Amino acid sequence: MKQGLHQLLAVTIAVMFVAGTVAGQEERGSCAEAKKMVEEAIEHMNEVGTAKAFDDFSTQGGKWHNKDIYVFCYKMDGTNVCHGANRILIGKNLIDLKTADGQFLIRNLIDIGQSKGSGWIDYQWPHPQTKKTEAKRSYVIKIPGYDGIVGAGCYWSK
């Protein structure tokens, strides 16, 4: 009886672990989803204008938040104009913000927008759900008719 109870407990814990692992994976967005969100953000700005779109992107929940993916926007001088994970950043100039691996993140994002028009960047960043520093890849596009960029990122395994 005691051995059977221990086996049942072991099986229950194993099932809970697997279910928790699967649920955790469901909360992660893919890099394809991040890129699609940025492309849709450009379309949304074209439809409603940048001011309305920036407000929409910065509002928690809804279309502009998918799993752990959110939209962010910066002017070319490094000023944040929208942030889907942290509204406190809006209006702050973050040009000198460094990543956990020492990169000037905003400068590099802006450089991609200015030099290529769009592209990817890899860096280390705290995950919004786990709070652990993880590998992140973000896609950015220069906003047509606006002096800034829009982006979104995904957490990934190297």
Side-chain angles (χ1 to χ4, degrees):
M1 174 80 171
K2 200 173 197 180
Q3 185 179 7
L5 188 56
H6 286 280
Q7 288 174 340
L8 179 61
L9 182 59
V11 169
T12 302
I13 290 171
V15 168
M16 288 172 58
F17 176 76
V18 170
T21 301
V22 170
Q25 290 173 346
E26 289 175 354
E27 295 173 348
R28 293 190 179 249
S30 70
C31 291
E33 290 171 315
K35 183 178 182 186
K36 182 178 179 194
M37 187 178 287
V38 173
E39 292 166 346
E40 290 175 351
I42 291 287
E43 291 173 16
H44 187 61
M45 284 185 265
N46 289 336
E47 291 171 9
V48 302
T50 54
K52 170 74 171 115
F54 293 161
D55 187 53
D56 292 345
F57 301 152
S58 299
T59 303
Q60 292 290 322
K63 178 178 181 170
W64 306 109
H65 294 85
N66 181 11
K67 302 170 190 168
D68 58 357
I69 301 172
Y70 55 87
V71 174
F72 55 83
C73 303
Y74 288 89
K75 290 183 181 177
M76 291 301 185
D77 70 357
T79 303
N80 181 281
V81 290
C82 82
H83 202 284
N86 191 351
R87 289 184 71 94
I88 293 171
L89 299 177
I90 299 171
K92 296 189 185 326
N93 188 301
L94 302 172
I95 196 74
D96 293 325
L97 179 69
K98 285 189 176 183
T99 64
D101 54 346
Q103 294 184 56
F104 282 104
L105 178 59
I106 308 309
R107 289 181 193 196
N108 292 344
L109 292 169
I110 290 167
D111 183 56
I112 290 169
Q114 286 180 323
S115 66
K116 300 177 185 175
S118 65
W120 291 96
I121 182 173
D122 296 337
Y123 55 99
Q124 295 290 310
W125 198 252
H127 190 281
Q129 296 165 350
T130 68
K131 308 303 182 211
K132 294 179 182 176
T133 299
E134 300 182 30
K136 187 169 185 176
R137 176 173 284 163
S138 287
Y139 183 74
V140 296
I141 295 178
K142 183 178 182 329
I143 301 169
Y146 183 85
D147 193 33
I149 57 161
V150 58
C154 59
Y155 292 87
W156 61 288
S157 297
K158 290 184 179 183

